[in-house]
Coordinates of all heavy atoms in Angstrom, one line a residue:
A1 N -1.8 4.3 -18.4 CA -1.2 4.1 -17.1 C 0.1 4.8 -16.9 O 0.8 4.9 -17.9 CB -1.1 2.6 -16.9
C2 N 0.3 5.3 -15.8 CA 1.6 6.0 -15.5 C 2.6 5.0 -15.2 O 2.4 3.9 -14.8 CB 1.4 7.0 -14.4 SG 0.9 6.2 -12.8
A3 N 3.9 5.4 -15.4 CA 5.0 4.5 -15.1 C 5.1 4.3 -13.6 O 5.2 5.3 -12.8 CB 6.3 5.1 -15.6
E4 N 5.1 3.1 -13.2 CA 5.2 2.8 -11.7 C 6.4 1.8 -11.6 O 6.7 1.0 -12.5 CB 3.9 2.2 -11.2 CG 2.8 3.1 -11.1 CD 1.6 2.5 -10.4 OE1 1.8 1.7 -9.5 OE2 0.5 2.8 -10.9
S5 N 7.0 1.9 -10.4 CA 8.1 0.9 -10.1 C 7.4 -0.5 -10.0 O 6.3 -0.6 -9.6 CB 8.8 1.3 -8.9 OG 7.9 1.4 -7.8
K6 N 8.2 -1.5 -10.4 CA 7.7 -2.8 -10.4 C 7.6 -3.3 -8.9 O 8.4 -2.9 -8.1 CB 8.7 -3.8 -11.1 CG 8.5 -3.6 -12.6 CD 9.2 -4.7 -13.4 CE 8.5 -6.0 -13.1 NZ 8.3 -6.8 -14.3
V7 N 6.7 -4.1 -8.6 CA 6.5 -4.7 -7.3 C 7.5 -5.9 -7.2 O 7.4 -6.8 -8.0 CB 5.1 -5.1 -7.1 CG1 4.9 -5.8 -5.7 CG2 4.1 -3.9 -7.2
P8 N 8.3 -5.9 -6.2 CA 9.3 -7.0 -6.0 C 8.5 -8.4 -5.9 O 7.4 -8.4 -5.4 CB 10.1 -6.7 -4.8 CG 9.9 -5.2 -4.6 CD 8.5 -4.9 -5.1
P9 N 9.2 -9.5 -6.3 CA 8.6 -10.8 -6.1 C 8.1 -11.0 -4.7 O 8.8 -10.7 -3.7 CB 9.7 -11.7 -6.5 CG 10.5 -10.9 -7.5 CD 10.5 -9.5 -6.9
G10 N 6.9 -11.6 -4.5 CA 6.4 -11.9 -3.2 C 5.8 -10.7 -2.5 O 5.2 -10.9 -1.4
M11 N 5.9 -9.5 -3.0 CA 5.3 -8.4 -2.4 C 4.0 -8.0 -3.0 O 3.6 -8.6 -4.0 CB 6.3 -7.1 -2.5 CG 7.6 -7.3 -1.9 SD 7.6 -7.5 -0.1 CE 8.2 -9.2 0.0
A12 N 3.2 -7.2 -2.3 CA 1.9 -6.8 -2.8 C 1.8 -5.3 -2.9 O 2.6 -4.5 -2.3 CB 0.8 -7.2 -1.8
K13 N 0.9 -4.8 -3.7 CA 0.7 -3.4 -3.8 C -0.8 -3.1 -3.7 O -1.7 -3.9 -4.0 CB 1.2 -2.8 -5.1 CG 0.4 -3.1 -6.3 CD 0.9 -2.3 -7.5 CE 0.1 -2.7 -8.8 NZ 0.5 -1.9 -9.9
A14 N -1.1 -1.9 -3.1 CA -2.5 -1.5 -2.9 C -2.6 0.0 -3.2 O -1.6 0.7 -2.8 CB -3.0 -1.9 -1.5
T15 N -3.7 0.4 -3.7 CA -3.9 1.8 -3.9 C -5.2 2.2 -3.1 O -6.2 1.6 -3.3 CB -4.1 2.2 -5.4 OG1 -2.9 1.8 -6.1 CG2 -4.3 3.7 -5.6
F16 N -5.0 3.1 -2.2 CA -6.1 3.6 -1.4 C -6.5 5.0 -1.7 O -5.7 5.9 -1.8 CB -5.7 3.5 0.1 CG -5.3 2.2 0.6 CD1 -3.9 1.9 0.7 CD2 -6.2 1.2 0.8 CE1 -3.5 0.6 1.1 CE2 -5.8 -0.1 1.3 CZ -4.4 -0.4 1.4
V17 N -7.8 5.2 -1.9 CA -8.4 6.5 -2.0 C -8.5 7.1 -0.6 O -9.0 6.4 0.3 CB -9.8 6.6 -2.7 CG1 -10.3 8.0 -2.7 CG2 -9.7 5.9 -4.1
V18 N -7.9 8.3 -0.3 CA -7.9 8.8 1.0 C -8.3 10.3 1.0 O -8.3 10.9 -0.1 CB -6.4 8.7 1.6 CG1 -6.1 7.3 1.9 CG2 -5.4 9.4 0.6
H19 N -8.7 10.8 2.2 CA -9.1 12.2 2.2 C -7.8 13.1 2.1 O -7.9 14.2 1.5 CB -9.7 12.5 3.6 CG -11.1 11.9 3.7 ND1 -12.2 12.2 3.0 CD2 -11.5 10.9 4.6 CE1 -13.2 11.4 3.3 NE2 -12.8 10.6 4.3
C20 N -6.7 12.6 2.6 CA -5.4 13.4 2.5 C -4.3 12.4 2.4 O -4.1 11.6 3.3 CB -5.3 14.3 3.8 SG -3.7 15.1 3.8
Y21 N -3.6 12.5 1.3 CA -2.5 11.5 1.1 C -1.3 11.7 2.0 O -0.6 10.7 2.4 CB -2.0 11.4 -0.4 CG -1.6 12.7 -1.1 CD1 -0.5 13.5 -0.6 CD2 -2.1 13.0 -2.3 CE1 -0.1 14.6 -1.2 CE2 -1.7 14.2 -3.0 CZ -0.7 14.9 -2.4 OH -0.2 16.0 -3.1
D22 N -1.1 12.9 2.5 CA -0.1 13.1 3.5 C -0.4 12.4 4.8 O 0.4 11.8 5.5 CB 0.2 14.6 3.8 CG 0.9 15.3 2.6 OD1 1.7 14.6 1.9 OD2 0.6 16.4 2.3
V23 N -1.7 12.5 5.3 CA -2.1 11.9 6.5 C -2.0 10.3 6.3 O -1.5 9.6 7.2 CB -3.6 12.3 6.9 CG1 -4.1 11.4 8.0 CG2 -3.6 13.7 7.2
G24 N -2.4 9.9 5.1 CA -2.3 8.4 4.9 C -0.9 7.9 4.9 O -0.6 6.9 5.5
A25 N 0.0 8.7 4.3 CA 1.4 8.3 4.3 C 2.0 8.3 5.7 O 2.7 7.3 6.1 CB 2.2 9.2 3.4
S26 N 1.6 9.3 6.5 CA 2.1 9.3 7.9 C 1.5 8.1 8.7 O 2.2 7.6 9.5 CB 1.7 10.6 8.5 OG 2.4 11.7 8.0
A27 N 0.3 7.8 8.4 CA -0.4 6.7 9.2 C 0.3 5.3 8.9 O 0.3 4.5 9.7 CB -1.9 6.6 8.8
L28 N 0.8 5.2 7.7 CA 1.4 3.9 7.3 C 2.9 3.8 7.5 O 3.5 2.8 7.6 CB 1.1 3.6 5.8 CG -0.4 3.5 5.5 CD1 -0.6 3.4 4.0 CD2 -1.0 2.3 6.2
S29 N 3.6 5.0 7.6 CA 5.0 5.1 7.7 C 5.5 4.4 9.0 O 5.0 4.6 10.0 CB 5.4 6.5 7.7 OG 6.8 6.6 7.8
G30 N 6.5 3.5 8.8 CA 7.0 2.8 9.9 C 6.2 1.6 10.4 O 6.7 0.9 11.3
K31 N 5.1 1.3 9.8 CA 4.3 0.1 10.2 C 5.0 -1.2 9.7 O 5.7 -1.2 8.6 CB 2.9 0.2 9.6 CG 2.1 1.4 10.2 CD 1.7 1.2 11.6 CE 0.7 2.2 12.0 NZ 0.7 2.5 13.4
P32 N 4.8 -2.3 10.3 CA 5.4 -3.6 9.9 C 5.0 -3.9 8.5 O 3.8 -3.8 8.1 CB 4.8 -4.6 10.9 CG 4.3 -3.8 12.0 CD 3.9 -2.5 11.5
G33 N 6.0 -4.3 7.7 CA 5.7 -4.8 6.3 C 5.6 -3.7 5.3 O 5.6 -4.1 4.1
I34 N 5.6 -2.5 5.6 CA 5.5 -1.4 4.6 C 6.8 -1.2 3.9 O 7.8 -0.9 4.6 CB 5.0 -0.1 5.2 CG1 3.7 -0.2 5.9 CG2 5.0 1.0 4.2 CD1 2.5 -0.5 5.0
I35 N 6.8 -1.4 2.6 CA 8.1 -1.2 1.8 C 8.1 0.3 1.3 O 9.2 0.9 1.5 CB 8.1 -2.1 0.6 CG1 7.9 -3.6 1.0 CG2 9.4 -1.9 -0.2 CD1 8.9 -4.2 2.0
S36 N 7.0 0.8 0.8 CA 7.0 2.2 0.3 C 5.6 2.7 0.2 O 4.6 1.9 0.1 CB 7.7 2.3 -1.1 OG 6.9 1.6 -2.0
V37 N 5.5 4.0 0.4 CA 4.2 4.7 0.2 C 4.4 5.9 -0.8 O 5.3 6.7 -0.5 CB 3.6 5.2 1.5 CG1 2.3 5.9 1.3 CG2 3.5 4.1 2.6
E38 N 3.7 5.9 -1.9 CA 3.8 6.9 -2.9 C 2.5 7.7 -2.8 O 1.4 7.2 -3.0 CB 4.0 6.3 -4.2 CG 4.1 7.3 -5.4 CD 4.1 6.6 -6.7 OE1 4.4 5.5 -6.8 OE2 3.7 7.3 -7.7
R39 N 2.6 9.0 -2.6 CA 1.4 9.9 -2.6 C 1.1 10.3 -4.1 O 2.1 10.5 -4.9 CB 1.7 11.2 -1.8 CG 2.1 10.9 -0.4 CD 2.7 12.2 0.2 NE 3.0 12.1 1.6 CZ 4.2 11.9 2.0 NH1 5.2 11.7 1.1 NH2 4.5 11.8 3.3
G40 N -0.1 10.5 -4.4 CA -0.5 10.9 -5.8 C -1.9 11.1 -6.0 O -2.7 11.3 -5.0
W41 N -2.3 11.2 -7.2 CA -3.7 11.5 -7.6 C -4.2 10.4 -8.6 O -3.4 9.9 -9.4 CB -3.8 12.8 -8.3 CG -3.4 14.0 -7.4 CD1 -2.2 14.5 -7.2 CD2 -4.3 14.7 -6.6 NE1 -2.3 15.5 -6.2 CE2 -3.6 15.7 -5.9 CE3 -5.7 14.7 -6.4 CZ2 -4.2 16.6 -5.0 CZ3 -6.3 15.6 -5.5 CH2 -5.5 16.5 -4.8
S42 N -5.5 10.1 -8.5 CA -6.2 9.2 -9.4 C -7.4 10.0 -9.8 O -8.4 10.1 -9.1 CB -6.5 7.9 -8.8 OG -7.3 7.1 -9.7
G43 N -7.3 10.7 -11.0 CA -8.3 11.7 -11.4 C -8.4 12.8 -10.3 O -7.3 13.3 -9.9
P44 N -9.6 13.1 -9.8 CA -9.7 14.1 -8.8 C -9.4 13.7 -7.4 O -9.5 14.5 -6.4 CB -11.1 14.6 -8.9 CG -11.8 13.3 -9.3 CD -10.9 12.6 -10.2
R45 N -9.1 12.4 -7.2 CA -8.9 11.9 -5.8 C -7.5 11.7 -5.4 O -6.6 11.3 -6.2 CB -9.6 10.5 -5.7 CG -11.1 10.6 -6.0 CD -11.7 9.2 -6.0 NE -13.2 9.4 -6.0 CZ -13.9 8.8 -5.1 NH1 -13.4 8.0 -4.2 NH2 -15.2 9.0 -5.1
E46 N -7.3 12.0 -4.1 CA -5.9 11.7 -3.5 C -5.8 10.3 -3.2 O -6.8 9.6 -2.7 CB -5.8 12.6 -2.3 CG -5.7 14.1 -2.5 CD -5.4 14.9 -1.3 OE1 -4.4 14.5 -0.5 OE2 -6.0 15.9 -1.1
V47 N -4.6 9.7 -3.5 CA -4.4 8.3 -3.3 C -3.0 8.1 -2.7 O -2.1 8.9 -2.8 CB -4.5 7.4 -4.6 CG1 -5.9 7.5 -5.1 CG2 -3.5 7.8 -5.6
D48 N -2.9 7.0 -1.9 CA -1.6 6.5 -1.4 C -1.5 5.1 -2.1 O -2.3 4.2 -2.0 CB -1.6 6.3 0.1 CG -1.5 7.7 0.8 OD1 -0.6 8.5 0.4 OD2 -2.3 7.9 1.8
R49 N -0.3 5.0 -2.8 CA 0.0 3.7 -3.4 C 1.1 3.0 -2.6 O 2.1 3.6 -2.3 CB 0.6 3.9 -4.9 CG -0.5 4.4 -5.8 CD 0.1 4.7 -7.2 NE -1.0 5.2 -8.1 CZ -1.2 6.5 -8.3 NH1 -0.4 7.4 -7.7 NH2 -2.1 6.9 -9.1
V50 N 0.7 1.9 -2.1 CA 1.5 1.2 -1.0 C 2.1 -0.1 -1.6 O 1.4 -0.9 -2.2 CB 0.7 0.9 0.2 CG1 1.5 0.3 1.3 CG2 0.0 2.2 0.7
V51 N 3.4 -0.3 -1.4 CA 4.0 -1.6 -1.6 C 4.3 -2.2 -0.3 O 4.9 -1.5 0.6 CB 5.3 -1.5 -2.5 CG1 6.0 -2.9 -2.6 CG2 5.0 -0.9 -3.9
Y52 N 3.9 -3.5 0.0 CA 4.1 -4.1 1.3 C 4.3 -5.5 1.2 O 4.1 -6.2 0.2 CB 2.8 -3.8 2.2 CG 1.6 -4.5 1.8 CD1 1.2 -5.7 2.4 CD2 0.7 -4.0 0.8 CE1 0.0 -6.3 2.0 CE2 -0.4 -4.7 0.4 CZ -0.8 -5.8 1.0 OH -1.9 -6.5 0.7
D53 N 4.8 -6.1 2.3 CA 5.1 -7.5 2.4 C 3.9 -8.2 3.0 O 3.6 -8.0 4.2 CB 6.3 -7.7 3.3 CG 6.8 -9.1 3.4 OD1 5.9 -10.1 3.1 OD2 7.9 -9.4 3.8
P54 N 3.1 -9.0 2.2 CA 1.9 -9.6 2.7 C 2.2 -10.7 3.7 O 1.3 -11.2 4.4 CB 1.3 -10.2 1.5 CG 2.4 -10.4 0.5 CD 3.4 -9.3 0.8
S55 N 3.5 -11.1 4.0 CA 3.8 -12.1 5.0 C 3.9 -11.4 6.4 O 3.9 -12.0 7.4 CB 5.1 -12.8 4.7 OG 6.2 -12.0 4.8
K56 N 4.0 -10.0 6.3 CA 4.1 -9.2 7.6 C 2.9 -8.4 8.0 O 2.7 -8.0 9.1 CB 5.3 -8.3 7.5 CG 6.6 -9.1 7.4 CD 7.8 -8.2 7.4 CE 9.1 -9.1 7.3 NZ 10.3 -8.3 7.0
T57 N 2.0 -8.1 7.0 CA 0.8 -7.4 7.2 C -0.2 -7.7 6.2 O 0.1 -8.4 5.2 CB 1.1 -5.8 7.3 OG1 0.0 -5.2 7.8 CG2 1.4 -5.3 5.9
T58 N -1.5 -7.3 6.5 CA -2.6 -7.7 5.6 C -3.2 -6.4 5.0 O -3.0 -5.3 5.5 CB -3.7 -8.5 6.3 OG1 -4.2 -7.6 7.3 CG2 -3.1 -9.8 7.0
L59 N -4.0 -6.6 3.9 CA -4.7 -5.5 3.4 C -5.7 -4.9 4.4 O -5.8 -3.7 4.5 CB -5.5 -6.0 2.1 CG -6.4 -4.9 1.4 CD1 -5.5 -3.9 0.8 CD2 -7.2 -5.6 0.4
T60 N -6.3 -5.8 5.2 CA -7.2 -5.3 6.2 C -6.5 -4.4 7.3 O -7.0 -3.4 7.7 CB -7.9 -6.5 6.9 OG1 -8.6 -7.2 5.9 CG2 -8.9 -6.0 8.0
E61 N -5.3 -4.8 7.7 CA -4.5 -4.0 8.6 C -4.2 -2.6 8.0 O -4.3 -1.6 8.7 CB -3.2 -4.7 9.0 CG -3.4 -5.8 10.0 CD -2.1 -6.5 10.4 OE1 -1.4 -6.9 9.5 OE2 -1.9 -6.6 11.6
L62 N -3.8 -2.6 6.7 CA -3.5 -1.3 6.1 C -4.8 -0.4 6.1 O -4.7 0.7 6.4 CB -3.1 -1.6 4.6 CG -1.8 -2.4 4.4 CD1 -1.6 -2.6 2.9 CD2 -0.6 -1.8 5.0
E63 N -5.9 -1.0 5.7 CA -7.2 -0.2 5.7 C -7.5 0.3 7.1 O -7.9 1.4 7.3 CB -8.3 -1.1 5.2 CG -8.2 -1.4 3.7 CD -9.2 -2.5 3.3 OE1 -9.7 -3.2 4.1 OE2 -9.3 -2.6 2.0
N64 N -7.3 -0.6 8.2 CA -7.5 -0.2 9.5 C -6.6 0.9 10.0 O -7.1 1.9 10.7 CB -7.5 -1.4 10.5 CG -8.7 -2.3 10.3 OD1 -9.7 -1.9 9.9 ND2 -8.5 -3.5 10.7
W65 N -5.3 0.9 9.6 CA -4.4 2.0 10.0 C -4.9 3.3 9.4 O -4.8 4.4 10.0 CB -3.0 1.7 9.6 CG -2.3 0.6 10.4 CD1 -2.6 0.3 11.7 CD2 -1.4 -0.4 9.9 NE1 -1.8 -0.8 12.1 CE2 -1.1 -1.2 11.0 CE3 -0.8 -0.6 8.7 CZ2 -0.2 -2.3 10.9 CZ3 0.1 -1.7 8.6 CH2 0.4 -2.5 9.7
L66 N -5.4 3.2 8.1 CA -5.9 4.5 7.5 C -7.2 4.9 8.1 O -7.4 6.1 8.3 CB -6.0 4.2 6.0 CG -4.7 4.0 5.2 CD1 -5.0 3.5 3.8 CD2 -3.9 5.3 5.2
K67 N -8.0 4.0 8.5 CA -9.3 4.3 9.2 C -9.0 5.0 10.5 O -9.6 5.9 10.9 CB -10.2 3.1 9.3 CG -10.8 2.6 8.0 CD -11.5 1.3 8.2 CE -12.0 0.8 6.9 NZ -12.6 -0.6 7.0
D68 N -8.0 4.4 11.2 CA -7.6 5.0 12.5 C -7.2 6.4 12.4 O -7.3 7.2 13.3 CB -6.5 4.2 13.2 CG -7.0 2.8 13.7 OD1 -8.3 2.6 13.8 OD2 -6.2 1.9 14.0
A69 N -6.5 6.8 11.3 CA -6.1 8.1 11.0 C -7.2 9.0 10.4 O -7.0 10.2 10.1 CB -4.9 8.1 10.0
D70 N -8.4 8.4 10.2 CA -9.6 9.1 9.7 C -9.3 9.7 8.3 O -9.8 10.8 8.0 CB -10.0 10.2 10.7 CG -11.4 10.6 10.6 OD1 -12.2 9.7 10.1 OD2 -11.8 11.8 10.9
T71 N -8.6 8.9 7.5 CA -8.4 9.4 6.1 C -8.9 8.4 5.1 O -8.9 8.7 3.9 CB -6.9 9.8 5.9 OG1 -6.8 10.6 4.7 CG2 -6.0 8.6 5.9
Y72 N -9.2 7.2 5.5 CA -9.6 6.1 4.5 C -10.9 6.4 3.8 O -11.9 6.7 4.5 CB -9.7 4.8 5.2 CG -10.1 3.6 4.3 CD1 -9.1 2.9 3.6 CD2 -11.4 3.2 4.3 CE1 -9.5 1.9 2.8 CE2 -11.7 2.1 3.5 CZ -10.8 1.5 2.7 OH -11.2 0.4 1.9
V73 N -10.9 6.3 2.5 CA -12.2 6.4 1.7 C -12.5 5.0 1.1 O -13.6 4.5 1.4 CB -12.1 7.4 0.6 CG1 -13.3 7.4 -0.3 CG2 -11.8 8.8 1.2
S74 N -11.6 4.4 0.4 CA -11.8 3.1 -0.2 C -10.5 2.5 -0.7 O -9.5 3.2 -0.8 CB -12.8 3.2 -1.4 OG -12.2 4.0 -2.5
T75 N -10.6 1.2 -1.1 CA -9.4 0.5 -1.7 C -9.7 0.5 -3.2 O -10.7 -0.1 -3.6 CB -9.3 -0.9 -1.1 OG1 -9.1 -0.8 0.3 CG2 -8.1 -1.6 -1.7
Q76 N -8.8 1.1 -3.9 CA -9.0 1.2 -5.4 C -8.5 0.0 -6.1 O -9.0 -0.4 -7.1 CB -8.4 2.5 -5.9 CG -8.6 2.9 -7.3 CD -8.0 4.2 -7.7 OE1 -6.9 4.5 -7.4 NE2 -8.8 5.0 -8.3
E77 N -7.3 -0.5 -5.7 CA -6.6 -1.6 -6.4 C -5.8 -2.4 -5.4 O -5.3 -1.8 -4.4 CB -5.7 -0.9 -7.4 CG -4.8 -1.9 -8.1 CD -3.7 -1.2 -8.9 OE1 -3.5 -0.1 -8.8 OE2 -3.1 -2.0 -9.7
H78 N -5.7 -3.7 -5.6 CA -4.9 -4.5 -4.8 C -4.4 -5.7 -5.6 O -5.1 -6.3 -6.4 CB -5.7 -5.1 -3.6 CG -4.9 -5.9 -2.7 ND1 -5.1 -7.3 -2.6 CD2 -3.8 -5.7 -1.9 CE1 -4.2 -7.8 -1.8 NE2 -3.4 -6.8 -1.3
S79 N -3.1 -6.0 -5.5 CA -2.5 -7.1 -6.3 C -1.3 -7.6 -5.5 O -0.6 -6.9 -4.8 CB -2.2 -6.8 -7.7 OG -1.2 -5.8 -7.8
I80 N -1.0 -8.9 -5.7 CA 0.2 -9.5 -5.2 C 1.0 -10.1 -6.3 O 0.5 -10.7 -7.2 CB -0.2 -10.6 -4.2 CG1 -0.9 -10.0 -3.0 CG2 1.1 -11.4 -3.7 CD1 -1.4 -11.1 -2.0
N81 N 2.3 -9.8 -6.3 CA 3.3 -10.3 -7.3 C 3.5 -11.8 -6.8 O 4.2 -12.0 -5.8 CB 4.5 -9.5 -7.3 CG 5.5 -10.0 -8.4 OD1 5.3 -11.1 -8.9 ND2 6.5 -9.2 -8.7
R82 N 3.0 -12.7 -7.6 CA 3.1 -14.1 -7.2 C 4.4 -14.8 -7.6 O 4.6 -16.0 -7.3 CB 1.9 -14.9 -7.8 CG 0.6 -14.4 -7.4 CD 0.1 -15.0 -6.1 NE -1.2 -14.6 -5.7 CZ -1.6 -14.6 -4.5 NH1 -0.9 -14.9 -3.5 NH2 -2.8 -14.1 -4.2
E83 N 5.3 -14.0 -8.2 CA 6.6 -14.6 -8.5 C 7.2 -15.0 -7.2 O 7.2 -14.2 -6.2 CB 7.5 -13.6 -9.3 CG 7.0 -13.3 -10.6 CD 7.9 -12.2 -11.2 OE1 9.1 -12.2 -11.0 OE2 7.4 -11.3 -11.9
P84 N 7.9 -16.2 -7.2 CA 8.5 -16.5 -5.9 C 9.7 -15.6 -5.5 O 10.4 -15.2 -6.4 CB 9.0 -17.9 -6.1 CG 9.1 -18.1 -7.6 CD 8.1 -17.1 -8.2
A85 N 9.7 -15.2 -4.3 CA 10.8 -14.4 -3.8 C 12.1 -15.3 -3.8 O 12.0 -16.4 -3.5 CB 10.5 -13.8 -2.4
Q86 N 13.2 -14.7 -4.1 CA 14.4 -15.4 -4.1 C 14.8 -15.7 -2.6 O 14.7 -14.8 -1.8 CB 15.6 -14.7 -4.7 CG 15.4 -14.6 -6.2 CD 16.6 -13.9 -6.9 OE1 17.4 -13.1 -6.2 NE2 16.8 -14.1 -8.1
Q87 N 15.1 -17.0 -2.4 CA 15.4 -17.4 -1.0 C 16.9 -16.9 -0.7 O 17.7 -17.0 -1.5 CB 15.3 -18.9 -0.8 CG 14.0 -19.4 -1.1 CD 13.0 -18.9 0.0 OE1 13.3 -18.7 1.1 NE2 11.8 -18.5 -0.5
M88 N 17.0 -16.3 0.5 CA 18.4 -15.9 0.9 C 19.1 -17.2 1.4 O 18.6 -18.0 2.0 CB 18.3 -14.9 2.0 CG 17.6 -13.6 1.6 SD 17.5 -12.4 2.9 CE 19.2 -12.1 3.2
S89 N 20.4 -17.2 1.0 CA 21.2 -18.3 1.5 C 21.5 -18.2 2.9 O 21.7 -17.1 3.4 CB 22.6 -18.4 0.7 OG 22.5 -17.7 -0.5
R90 N 21.6 -19.3 3.6 CA 21.8 -19.2 5.0 C 23.2 -19.7 5.3 O 23.8 -20.5 4.7 CB 20.8 -20.1 5.8 CG 19.5 -19.5 5.7 CD 18.4 -20.3 6.4 NE 17.2 -19.7 6.0 CZ 16.2 -19.6 6.8 NH1 16.3 -20.0 8.1 NH2 15.0 -19.1 6.4

């Protein structure tokens, strides 16, 4: 496995196989809940690795944004860091 940044507590990550990782990154950029999008390769396939806030968006929404951009192929991986997020003091 390649070195990847850790997913912050309470956040989720998903890896999407796409026709073009640049199109996928553009489709997700600026959408609610998106923390980061990393373009890359998984074997011969282009992928977008996304870290997002599952309290602000869903896996289905991410897939739909990629489908709307006509670049979605499949969801390769999905996980949520179940460690509790630190509560901010008010």
Side-chain angles (χ1 to χ4, degrees):
C2 60
E4 290 185 37
S5 57
K6 289 192 68 140
V7 177
M11 298 298 112
K13 73 174 179 175
T15 302
F16 301 102
V17 178
V18 290
H19 293 295
C20 175
Y21 56 56
D22 289 327
V23 172
S26 291
L28 297 173
S29 182
K31 296 290 191 204
I34 301 295
I35 307 299
S36 66
V37 180
E38 177 189 338
R39 301 166 179 98
W41 293 89
S42 178
R45 296 176 167 231
E46 293 187 44
V47 296
D48 285 314
R49 292 179 182 94
V50 182
V51 175
Y52 69 98
D53 183 342
S55 71
K56 295 183 179 168
T57 192
T58 65
L59 180 65
T60 301
E61 284 179 308
L62 299 177
E63 292 168 343
N64 287 338
W65 289 328
L66 292 169
K67 288 174 185 174
D68 288 346
D70 204 26
T71 195
Y72 179 82
V73 175
S74 65
T75 302
Q76 187 175 48
E77 174 192 12
H78 179 249
S79 64
I80 297 176
N81 185 344
R82 300 275 182 205
E83 294 176 34
Q86 291 183 338
Q87 297 298 320
M88 295 179 65
S89 342
R90 294 179 189 220

